[in-house]
Amino acid sequence: MTAQSDPPQADRALKARHRAMWALGDYPAVAAEVIPGLGEILVEACGVGPGHRVLDVAAGSGNAAIPAALAGADVVAGDLTPELLEAGRAVAARRGAVLEWRQADAEALPYADGEFDTVMSCVGVMFAPHHRAAANELVRVCRPGGVIGLINWTPEGFVGQMFAAMRPYAPPPPPGAQPPPLWGSEDHVRALLGDAVTDVVARRRTVTIDRFAHPGAFLDYFKANYGPTVAAYRGVAGDPGRAAALDRALTELARAHMREGATMEWEYLLLTARRRG
């Protein structure tokens, strides 16, 4: 059936592609080796502590969920990709964190209205293709007066520019899908959350990346480990010219952002809000 006549079937197919993409490479390694501190920053910004009921949406391998559990909260980590949840369980066991892991679609969360004191996502929900649906779910499962906290890569920062560089080499997005880095725009997130929240605080920050000795090291690492990059290269595997062009685009981007000492600053938006009572 066509997408127009059977939207649920089309949505299932889209989500299946997303699950497969994030299972490519080794995203848990990226989270642990490249951006290990982002989750703790979000947990602190949300004021998570003992007795809090917390949901980490699009939790991946638990970059934010595990620190929240270690802070004493009752945590549920939900993600669309089972392989990431399995990796998260292993990390949590090594760190002595106890939490629940559950497969969940950010656009149709399997939780009750107002079930959580804190609903957060660390560079996760931004990859749900339908931003309005995902934002509505963040609000729905948060209790009145509860906290919604987000860290998302900005369009202007390194990761936003990386997705722009990869876009010409990736399949066109399906109708209605929006670019992930829009979640890093304060105006966009405010519009998504709208009057459902109060006390919005938004700050642009950077995380220092010192994992890569030179631009080629960044390229090799992301080609091997980061699902969206792996998928982009698979899409041009039969065209050596396009693959080489993508190599050049990503290498030049990394070179432009590297400072002396081979460090980069990746910009993100940290936004917290309270669900209106």
Side-chain angles (χ1 to χ4, degrees):
M1 300 180 72
T2 65
Q4 289 78 11
S5 62
D6 190 7
Q9 181 176 336
D11 189 62
R12 287 194 296 271
L14 174 60
K15 298 304 171 58
R17 290 196 297 273
H18 272 243
R19 283 195 300 272
M21 179 184 71
W22 287 106
L24 296 172
D26 189 352
Y27 183 74
V30 176
E33 297 170 359
V34 182
I35 52 169
L38 279 191
E40 293 179 2
I41 291 170
L42 181 58
V43 168
E44 181 178 357
C46 291
V48 171
H52 293 179
R53 176 78 167 153
V54 176
L55 173 64
D56 187 4
V57 177
S61 52
N63 203 27
I66 291 171
L70 292 174
D74 176 13
V75 180
V76 178
D79 198 275
L80 194 64
T81 303
E83 291 86 348
L84 298 183
L85 298 176
E86 285 302 313
R89 289 187 181 97
V91 174
R94 290 197 299 270
R95 297 185 63 183
V98 178
L99 61 156
E100 178 184 347
W101 301 86
R102 184 172 180 182
Q103 188 173 3
D105 180 351
E107 298 177 5
L109 295 171
Y111 312 112
D113 295 357
E115 184 173 342
F116 297 95
D117 302 303
T118 300
V119 179
M120 62 183 185
S121 186
C122 182
V123 295
V125 74
M126 65 182 290
F127 294 102
H130 306 110
H131 295 189
R132 172 64 63 188
N136 288 348
E137 286 293 271
L138 295 177
V139 171
R140 181 185 66 79
V141 301
C142 186
R143 68 165 175 82
V147 174
I148 296 171
L150 305 169
I151 283 180
N152 295 310
W153 302 118
T154 66
E156 302 84 3
F158 176 81
V159 178
Q161 292 185 37
M162 182 180 70
F163 274 91
M166 292 192 299
R167 190 177 302 127
Y169 304 92
Q178 294 177 280
L182 278 179
W183 277 91
S185 163
E186 179 182 347
D187 289 345
H188 183 69
V189 180
R190 282 181 176 272
L192 289 174
L193 299 177
D195 294 338
V197 300
T198 62
D199 303 328
V200 176
V201 178
R203 292 149 283 184
R204 286 187 178 230
R205 294 183 175 180
T206 60
V207 57
T208 300
I209 307 298
D210 57 5
R211 177 68 172 72
F212 309 111
H214 51 81
F218 160 80
L219 177 67
D220 292 343
Y221 186 91
F222 266 64
K223 285 175 70 172
N225 293 296
Y226 191 58
T229 308
V230 177
Y233 276 96
R234 287 193 176 188
V236 298
D239 189 334
R242 283 173 59 77
L246 181 54
D247 278 348
R248 289 192 297 273
L250 294 179
T251 302
E252 289 167 6
L253 178 65
R255 182 176 293 111
H257 281 260
M258 272 194 177
R259 298 179 176 178
E260 186 176 351
T263 63
M264 292 188 279
E265 298 293 328
W266 293 4
E267 185 182 61
Y268 63 89
L269 179 73
L270 171 61
L271 184 143
T272 58
R274 289 195 177 272
R275 181 179 172 183
R276 192 179 295 276

